[in-house]
Amino acid sequence: MKIESLSALEILDSRGRPTLRAYCQLVGGRRHAASVPSGASTGAAEAMELRDKDPERYGGRGCRKAAANVSGPVHDALAGREFGSQADFDGALIDLDGTEKKSHLGANAILAVSLAFARAAAAEREQELFRYFGSLLEQDSFYLPRLTINLFSGGLHAGRQVAVQDVLLVPLSAKTIDESLVHTSRVYHAAAALVEKRYGMRLLTADEGGLAPPFASTDEMFATTVEAIEDSGLEPGRDMAIAADVASSHFFSHGYYEVDGGRLSASEMRKCLQRWSDQYPLVSIEDGLAEDDWENWPALCRDLGSDRLIVGDDLLCTKVDRISRAVNSKACNALLLKVNQVGTLTEAAKAFQCARAAGWQVTVSVRSGDTGDDWAADLAVGWSGNQFKPGSVTQSERLEKYNRLLEIEHDHGFLLRGWME
Ligand code: 2PG
Ligand code: MG
């Protein structure tokens, strides 16, 4: 695969903030594009997005420098070169950048090019994108991931009216993607009606399309979720369970977790998570403890991990060294995989394999600032992730991913994974 040209431009994400779209053209092929997402609740160990820091444009968040890096030095170094594989191409990007966190060229620039190359390579092989992604892991049989779908948001995704960042629905009894979305839509509308009645507000949505009423407490957020499931005619815990992205790094300060007006020590925070798990049908807990609170994660996983997912997001940042540390210390049993935390497809594939080799589950996730590009759905199927977290069932940047899953299900009839299967 010989590179004809690489280029990029600044575009806007679902929050109206700049991000990047890159283009890759192989010799003899046509131009292929890929757009990258961007997070709000970022982990400290994440690869670095390059931002312009020009206060006159988008509060300093512009991505013109990152775009120029692709169209300039990256194009100049790689155009005309032949690459036998995604790993070779990504390796060249990593070498060209030369920094630990990809801060020289920008992780946003590097990932956009890595993905655009994947699209171009898949097209050259006349493969659907999910099959190309599968080939990176030498995988050629596929499952559809079980969905986790944003319903309510707090934390950094909704102005911190409660500490916990996201409450998600897990359609447990659904047999297909189609049925998962039908069930979820029922609950979403029941929740919207409850919110309107109880809080007297029209439907204001958070970053990922979830509802964000002024809940007085986290318990109220969980209890309203259960009520909405019941109102929809589904059975909580049997048809529809709950996942929480606690995102606790973002309310952890000076050794304490600041939840619902209280200051909890790590062991009190664990007790709190235990109580929520006893009281509500909580089947997955993401970032229940903070990203640097390594010493307390193993006890959390021991207490709650036998029949639920204990997911590391900020803790792991999709990085092999952090995943290995968590495997060795039994800190969690699942990886939240976000490709832009690490910056190339090849490194994300290694993180995926490292987690799977330890017998963990992998939840593939999009970001709170996302675009209409649907590559993440192909990735979730191509790598047959156990779960997929694309946000709520509103907003087109979310729905593009669900619609792509519907398309793959329709065209190929792959089976939907069972929960924790
Ligand atoms: C998370 C993600 C997605 P963000 O914390 O898991 O929900 O949020 O993209 O803001 O990091
Ligand atoms: Mg998270």
Side-chain angles (χ1 to χ4, degrees), residues 163-181:
V164 168
Q165 181 178 282
D166 299 293
V167 169
L168 304 102
L169 296 169
V170 185
L172 280 187
S173 65
K175 300 277 185 299
T176 59
I177 294 287
D178 173 60
E179 200 181 3
S180 303
L181 292 170

Side-chain angles (χ1 to χ4, degrees), residues 15 37-43 46 150 156-157 165-166 168 207-208 245 247 250 286-287 313-314 336 338 340-341 365-369 389 391 398:
R15 291 176 303 209
S38 175
S41 72
T42 47
E46 286 195 25
N150 186 287
L156 285 181
H157 286 174
Q165 181 178 282
D166 299 293
L168 304 102
D207 283 0
E208 300 193 3
D245 183 359
H250 305 286
E286 180 183 328
D287 283 351
D313 171 16
D314 290 352
L336 194 85
K338 292 165 168 168
N340 75 330
Q341 282 181 327
S365 177
V366 307
R367 300 303 305 244
S368 52
K389 187 174 93 149
R398 317 281 147 199

Side-chain angles (χ1 to χ4, degrees), residues 74 76 91 111 116 203 218 240 286 296 317 351 357 408:
V74 177
D76 293 346
L111 181 62
L203 298 181
T218 307
M240 193 64 89
E286 180 183 328
N296 289 299
C317 282
I408 294 174

